[in-house]
Amino acid sequence: MQTQQPPATAPASASAAAPTPLPPPPPPAETLIFPPSNATKLTPHLPPPHLQHNDQDQNQDPPRRPFVTLTFATSLDSSLSLAPGTRTVLSGPQSKAMTHHLRAHHAAILIGVGTAVADDPGLNCLIAGARSPRPVVVDPRARWALHRDSKVLQLVRAGQGLAPFIVTAEREPPAGVAALLAEHGGRFLFVEAGPETGRFRWADVFDVLGREGLGSVMVEGGGEVINSLLAEPECGLVDSVIVTIAPTWLGQGGVVVSPPRTVGEGGRPSAPLRLTGVEWHPLGEDVVLCGKILR
């Protein structure tokens, strides 16, 4: 008895286009817990509840300047990272949860373009059941090559975060990036830069964010952003300072928090800033410093 062979399958057309692979989804969201006993200690240093969400009236005249919290993690030698562009983890698990608690209580989270390029951050909140802030990236020359696989946009598509606003001085930012932002619910915000320095005045940046209805901004870094906000007169815009100090030295050559000195009587250098109303809170092996800039 002969075995009947199955009919031959016609070869696929060589001209048939292969389907475009979709970008991989982000991994399942990590969930963090920040105990209420620790959260209560931070409450005096947070923005008022009505400024913690994107609910400012955008038609008010004039819009209120956002409540600004400056927060970062540093080593014992005031370093943010081992070297420029090098991602360096300093916070322990408890202070990491604290950082995300802070994100949940601010309308926006702001970083500089250098941090965006080096870290590809998600800029969302990992506290269970909490809302995520609006990411804001300060990018005067529109050099952040945001693309569909950038983590922040992956999180938007997964329903785990918001699309960024990019603050730029470029009147015609890259059309492809602008379209990608719009697709995900973000956009470019134009701010005039100084003609000589090419840098923004922080008052102008916060004014445009206030016009977008963002009642509070959590400034997370990096080094250039932090040091410029701690310099006179920009430090007058900062309402709260929360610093995590890790029990380690990073050594020379790192990115250091060190604002420029001021000059006192007789041309002698003097300390530029001091905090007041200071509180210290241990979190695991880290310690968290909270205070306000002495006016």
Side-chain angles (χ1 to χ4, degrees):
M1 183 171 104
Q2 288 186 325
T3 302
Q4 189 173 5
Q5 298 294 326
T9 302
S13 170
S15 62
T20 302
L22 296 175
E30 178 186 6
T31 300
L32 301 177
I33 297 174
F34 193 59
S37 58
N38 289 332
T40 301
K41 299 173 184 176
L42 295 178
T43 300
H45 307 281
L46 296 177
H50 70 285
L51 298 179
Q52 294 181 7
H53 306 289
N54 304 355
D55 56 2
Q56 276 204 109
D57 182 3
Q58 297 186 38
N59 297 316
Q60 62 181 333
D61 186 21
R64 185 195 183 281
R65 179 184 65 78
F67 184 103
V68 176
T69 301
L70 180 61
T71 181
F72 53 91
T74 181
S75 65
L76 293 173
D77 47 356
S78 297
S79 290
L80 301 173
S81 66
L82 288 163
T86 301
R87 187 183 181 96
T88 305
V89 177
L90 288 170
S91 301
Q94 292 96 329
S95 50
K96 176 182 177 181
M98 180 206 71
T99 296
H100 285 263
H101 174 78
L102 295 178
R103 291 183 180 187
H105 288 82
H106 287 79
I109 176 173
L110 182 149
I111 61 171
V113 63
T115 301
V117 171
D119 294 352
D120 185 28
L123 301 174
N124 64 337
C125 177
L126 298 178
I127 299 292
R131 50 165 291 282
S132 287
R134 171 72 65 180
V136 176
V137 177
V138 177
D139 187 4
R141 298 177 183 83
R143 67 183 180 91
W144 186 25
L146 186 72
H147 53 85
R148 187 168 293 275
D149 290 345
S150 294
K151 186 176 180 180
V152 66
L153 296 186
Q154 290 189 44
L155 292 172
V156 174
R157 295 193 296 272
Q160 299 172 13
L162 299 177
F165 290 167
I166 302 179
V167 180
T168 187
E170 296 292 333
R171 292 188 178 274
E172 296 184 5
V177 176
L180 189 61
L181 277 172
E183 177 187 338
H184 289 80
R187 59 183 175 275
F188 281 100
L189 303 177
F190 176 79
V191 172
E192 196 80 52
E196 295 181 0
T197 64
R199 297 183 177 183
F200 297 134
R201 293 177 61 251
W202 279 109
D204 295 339
V205 172
F206 294 136
D207 282 349
V208 77
L209 297 181
R211 290 196 295 272
E212 292 294 327
L214 299 171
S216 54
V217 179
M218 173 181 171
V219 179
E220 258 196 27
E224 184 176 345
V225 166
I226 293 168
N227 284 319
S228 65
L229 261 178
L230 289 176
E232 291 282 2
E234 308 284 35
C235 61
L237 302 170
V238 177
D239 298 289
S240 181
V241 177
I242 302 176
V243 180
T244 299
I245 303 172
T248 185
W249 287 271
L250 294 185
Q252 299 178 7
V255 178
V256 177
V257 176
S258 183
R261 288 180 176 177
T262 55
V263 178
E265 295 182 3
R268 296 179 180 176
S270 58
L273 294 173
R274 182 180 177 86
L275 294 181
T276 186
V278 169
E279 296 178 3
W280 297 86
H281 302 297
L283 282 179
E285 293 189 341
D286 301 333
V287 64
V288 176
L289 165 65
C290 304
K292 297 183 183 300
I293 293 175
L294 181 63
R295 308 300 184 194

